[in-house]
């Protein structure tokens, strides 16, 4: 199992550009999440999904969009990049059901907007 | 609003037990205590969780007080590779749930050679 895979690892964007952060998991987890982590801070939840076709906002959703067309993939889209979106983005997944699992995280995408 | 309180940093000598405290005085009856750690630049890694009873696995032990208002994560023989930020989190599901888990700033544990 590869676990949770995020691409790209690093990206530099100019203000106003758009991009999609990719996240895929091979553990058949039903729940997936996107967090952001600013320097020296904890993680803040951006969006989450409880299954294919279902997404919901977290604590800091403004400026982002997500989709969940398959169980495996949960891409995060930035439409008009702003310097405030400079951060490290972590995707995570978990199984919630009869046998819950802990959160499994990817290794992050480091995004700089200039 | 923070559900847990942790010291911002701690030191521990290599080979000794590292005891990381966490206060969660407003924990609800159905909320678990989870511990994760984040080694520099990597994604957080699950360590252990518990509801009421003390728990032990191959990585650590978790001691929860009887009133459940505080807990201690114990790394029995700390190594340099245990240097990381440790997050104590409370939540209702065994890992994520409908709205994830709230990660605060955690405790930066530094293992000294």
């Amino acid at each position: 199992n590869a676990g949770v895979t995020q691409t790209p690892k690093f990206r530099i964007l100019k203000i106003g550009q758009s991009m999609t952060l990719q996240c895929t998991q091979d553990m058949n987890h039903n729940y997936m999440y996107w967090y952001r982590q600013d320097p020296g801070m904890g993680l803040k939840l951006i969006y989450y999904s409880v299954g294919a076709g279902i997404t919901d906002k977290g604590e800091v959703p403004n400026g982002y969009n997500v989709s969940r067309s398959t169980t495996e993939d949960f891409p995060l889209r930035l439409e008009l990049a702003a310097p405030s979106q400079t951060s490290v983005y972590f995707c995570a997944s978990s199984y919630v059901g009869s046998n819950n699992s802990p959160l499994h995280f990817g290794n992050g995408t480091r995004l700089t907007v200039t | 609003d923070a559900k847990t309180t942790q010291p911002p940093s701690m030191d521990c000598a290599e080979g000794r037990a590292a005891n990381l405290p966490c206060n969660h005085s407003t924990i609800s009856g159905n909320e678990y205590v989870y511990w994760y750690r984040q080694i520099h630049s990597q994604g957080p890694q699950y360590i252990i969780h518990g509801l009421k009873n003390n728990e032990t696995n191959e990585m650590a032990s978790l001691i929860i007080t009887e009133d459940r208002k505080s807990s201690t994560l114990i790394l029995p023989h700390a190594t340099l590779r245990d240097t990381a930020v440790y997050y104590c989190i409370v939540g209702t599901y065994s890992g994520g749930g409908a709205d994830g888990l709230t990660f605060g700033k955690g405790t930066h544990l530094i293992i000294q050679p």
Side-chain angles (χ1 to χ4, degrees), chain A residues 30-31 33 50 94-97 100-103, chain B residues 30-34 36 46 49-51 89-101:
Chain A
N30 48 356
Y31 283 52
Y33 314 82
V50 302
S94 69
Y95 182 77
V96 178
N100 295 337
S101 80
L103 280 171
Chain B
N30 62 347
E31 286 184 314
Y32 291 80
V33 180
Y34 307 98
Y36 285 76
Y46 167 78
H49 75 280
L51 186 62
I89 302 158
V90 299
T92 53
Y93 285 81
S94 185
D99 55 359
L101 296 174

Side-chain angles (χ1 to χ4, degrees), chain A residues 31 33 35 37 40-43 45 48 50 90 94 96 100-103 105-107 110, chain B residues 36 38 41-46 87 93-105:
Chain A
Y31 283 52
Y33 314 82
Y35 288 88
Q37 185 175 34
M41 306 296 285
L43 283 74
L45 185 66
Y48 66 95
V50 302
F90 290 102
S94 69
V96 178
N100 295 337
S101 80
L103 280 171
F105 283 85
N107 277 327
R110 282 142 191 82
Chain B
Y36 285 76
Q38 187 175 25
S41 299
Q42 297 180 18
Q45 174 193 24
Y46 167 78
Y87 298 98
Y93 285 81
S94 185
D99 55 359
L101 296 174
T102 300
F103 288 74
K105 292 187 182 179

Side-chain angles (χ1 to χ4, degrees), chain B:
Chain B
D1 53 342
K3 287 187 172 184
T4 63
T5 304
Q6 298 178 255
S9 65
M10 291 181 64
D11 287 349
C12 178
E14 189 177 17
R16 305 296 294 266
N19 296 286
L20 290 88
C22 180
N23 286 323
H24 32 79
S25 58
T26 60
I27 190 169
S28 302
N30 62 347
E31 286 184 314
Y32 291 80
V33 180
Y34 307 98
W35 285 84
Y36 285 76
R37 73 179 182 184
Q38 187 175 25
I39 295 169
H40 182 61
S41 299
Q42 297 180 18
Q45 174 193 24
Y46 167 78
I47 303 173
I48 198 168
H49 75 280
L51 186 62
K52 287 192 251 191
N53 300 322
N54 298 338
E55 301 288 343
T56 295
N57 63 20
E58 64 278 3
M59 289 181 71
S61 295
L62 174 60
I63 308 297
I64 303 173
T65 57
E66 196 166 335
D67 63 8
R68 303 211 321 126
K69 292 186 177 181
S70 65
S71 61
T72 301
L73 178 75
I74 301 171
L75 308 177
H77 305 286
T79 71
L80 297 177
R81 284 178 291 185
D82 292 322
T83 292
V85 177
Y86 287 77
Y87 298 98
C88 169
I89 302 158
V90 299
T92 53
Y93 285 81
S94 185
D99 55 359
L101 296 174
T102 300
F103 288 74
K105 292 187 182 179
T107 295
H108 188 195
L109 175 67
I110 299 170
I111 305 302
Q112 305 282 1

